[in-house]
Amino acid sequence: MNPFTYARADHAEDALRLAEPQGAKFLGGGTNLVDLMRETIERPQSLVDVTGLSATIEETSAGGLRIGAAARNSAVAEHFAVRTRYPALSRALLAGASGQIRNMATVGGNILQRTRCTYFYDDDGSRCNKRVPGQGWDAIDGFNRIHAILGASSSCVATHPSDMCVALAAFDSVVHLRSARGERAVPITEFHRLPGDTPHVETVLEPGELIVAVELPPNPIAQRSTYRKVRDRSSYAFALVSVAAALQIEGSTVKDVRLALGGVAHKPWRASKAEAALRGREATEENFRAAAAAELIDARPLRDNAFKIELAVRTITAVLQQLTEEAQ
Amino acid sequence: MRFLINGQSVESDVDLRTSLLDLLRDHLNLHGSKKGCNQGACGACTVLADGERILSCLALAVQYQGREITTIEGLAEEGNLHPLQRAFIEHDGFQCGYCTPGQICSAIGMAAEAKRGMPSHITRDLDTSLVTLDRDEVRERMSGNLCRCGAYNGIIDAISEVYVEAE
């Protein structure tokens, strides 16, 4: 690990001021950043500890929830309003990492965590455009069963590893940012970038800009939502494919639906095509499958991960079936 | 830097790069917490911070100044083993023993989470704050602690004896 200086911020202005020097990075629970620093993939010159910033989970005047970026993953998962009004978010968090890591990891850090692509981590032996821009890549021709099938580029096929962000994407959540220039709000679906030819630029965050909160808009459909994660072992593993879904049925017709996918792309993937294909249609397994297939029509498999296409279709279909049965 | 470890205040001016695990093992002579993977994959380094289980290998020590840290060395009271330590012996909850301090600290934190109503990945009903710990719940909630000897049956037996109510 390279040497760095450390300062603890008491509030957001403090954090922004401390992070002014070039090479500064914000530190949350450290569960990803400390590991990457140990591997010398991340080499910050100074760390600004933001775990003392707002971690409150509060009602918004609009009737949604605002979650301070320093809130721990476990605190969000067990919060009663999250569990009852946005159950897919609670379930996504509980499907992620382990009890120990959920107690450490913050919401802001979860959003900014980096890919678990093994080629990205293999500093000594592999080329990676994300780790070293322009270096080339070994993942695209390598062992790539965990990699992306949607929105990838000829520069990078890494996936975003977060479960939490998939549920946030399904619910039109907004990320609140703060910098010396003021505040702005970015929809979570526009916060992460697709890789293009600059896979090292993973988000729209500007240098020195800080995530201060995530806002969940009021969304009655979210009460009937869930999260399903398919992985190589039943616990403590990253997703091969995951689905956050909410479904509202009137009679036997889909009145409204929200769908987002994890494990398939460089960002949490809002399945807008599948949603559009379902609204106003009969809530049948056949229609669920057709809608899922419509979303995956643009999927481009690599050598080892073609299975993810059918897995995603089946998982979407199964989750929508489950929500239909629960609604009856 | 000033730390509070197992009820004792200690001062140690370690390099900023020092993890909480290395502080314990290399600077404070507390070798109970183990370094398995040193990358957050195995759980052998689990300790309690203000009663919450965390991975000390991914924790920079500097962030844990003033927090109440409890390690395996701090569990026995007046020479009497913690009930969970006794249960691990009783049920052969280990073979080589390397993962055991992490397993025990993790289980203590896990039981406190369940007691206050924290659901898990397999909890069916999120609307209630009552969590019934059964063996499946214990297995899911302990998934962050690996045992390469495969002593899981004894581990689950030991944890169940102390924290799972008899059916």
Side-chain angles (χ1 to χ4, degrees), chain B residues 12 16 36 41 47 57-59 64 69 78 82 89 93 99-101 104-105 114 117 121-122 131 144 147 157:
Chain B
S12 182
L16 282 170
V47 300
C57 79
L58 291 182
Y64 287 81
I69 306 299
E78 293 168 11
H82 186 281
I89 297 170
C99 72
T100 314
I104 290 176
C105 287
H121 172 59
I122 64 163
V131 166
C147 169
D157 285 345

Side-chain angles (χ1 to χ4, degrees), chain B residues 50-97:
Chain B
D50 299 327
E52 298 220 311
R53 52 181 174 160
I54 61 157
L55 297 179
S56 61
C57 79
L58 291 182
L60 289 177
V62 63
Q63 279 194 296
Y64 287 81
Q65 296 173 87
R67 304 278 297 275
E68 202 172 303
I69 306 299
T70 306
T71 70
I72 191 76
E73 291 93 340
L75 294 180
E77 283 184 17
E78 293 168 11
N80 295 315
L81 291 180
H82 186 281
L84 191 58
Q85 290 176 301
R86 282 206 300 273
F88 265 69
I89 297 170
E90 178 75 18
H91 292 280
D92 285 335
F94 47 78
Q95 287 179 36
C96 81

Side-chain angles (χ1 to χ4, degrees), chain B residues 9-28:
Chain B
S9 180
V10 292
E11 190 136 341
S12 182
D13 282 320
V14 292
D15 188 291
L16 282 170
R17 291 170 285 185
T18 311
S19 68
L20 180 57
L21 178 62
D22 286 343
L23 171 77
L24 296 168
R25 291 181 56 86
D26 298 346
H27 299 272
L28 302 179

Side-chain angles (χ1 to χ4, degrees), chain A residues 32-218:
Chain A
N32 189 210
L33 182 55
V34 169
D35 190 29
L36 290 168
M37 286 166 61
R38 197 171 275 146
E39 300 288 338
T40 65
I41 293 167
E42 294 275 12
R43 293 183 289 270
Q45 282 151 32
S46 61
L47 288 179
V48 179
D49 185 344
V50 290
T51 55
L53 272 54
S54 174
T56 53
I57 302 172
E58 57 194 357
E59 296 284 335
T60 63
S61 52
L65 287 180
R66 183 182 165 106
I67 302 170
R72 308 287 168 170
N73 285 195
S74 49
V76 179
E78 75 174 324
H79 194 275
F80 199 70
V82 176
R83 283 155 59 172
T84 51
R85 285 156 55 189
Y86 304 91
L89 176 56
S90 188
R91 292 210 182 275
L93 284 159
L94 294 169
S98 68
Q100 293 96 312
I101 291 173
R102 292 191 292 270
N103 282 338
M104 302 171 78
T106 63
V107 165
N110 186 315
I111 293 170
L112 291 176
Q113 69 179 302
R114 308 201 64 192
T115 185
R116 266 40 174 221
C117 170
T118 43
Y119 296 94
F120 172 68
Y121 263 80
D122 183 18
D123 198 13
D124 299 328
S126 302
R127 294 174 301 159
C128 169
N129 283 322
K130 185 184 283 298
R131 181 166 24 82
V132 183
Q135 185 185 41
W137 34 254
D138 285 318
I140 296 176
D141 294 331
F143 296 97
N144 46 34
R145 69 185 288 278
I146 65 169
H147 290 79
I149 52 172
L150 287 165
S153 73
S154 56
S155 296
C156 179
V157 292
T159 58
H160 192 259
S162 170
D163 294 292
M164 179 189 80
C165 290
V166 181
L168 291 178
F171 297 147
D172 300 302
S173 309
V174 171
V175 187
H176 288 276
L177 307 176
R178 194 149 169 181
S179 71
R181 295 177 299 286
E183 293 194 25
R184 62 177 179 138
V186 178
I188 184 84
T189 49
E190 293 165 26
F191 182 81
H192 298 94
R193 296 174 70 257
L194 288 176
D197 52 12
T198 53
H200 59 291
V201 185
E202 292 168 351
T203 71
V204 299
L205 208 60
E206 301 281 348
E209 202 168 29
L210 172 70
I211 299 177
V212 289
V214 168
E215 186 176 340
L216 290 154

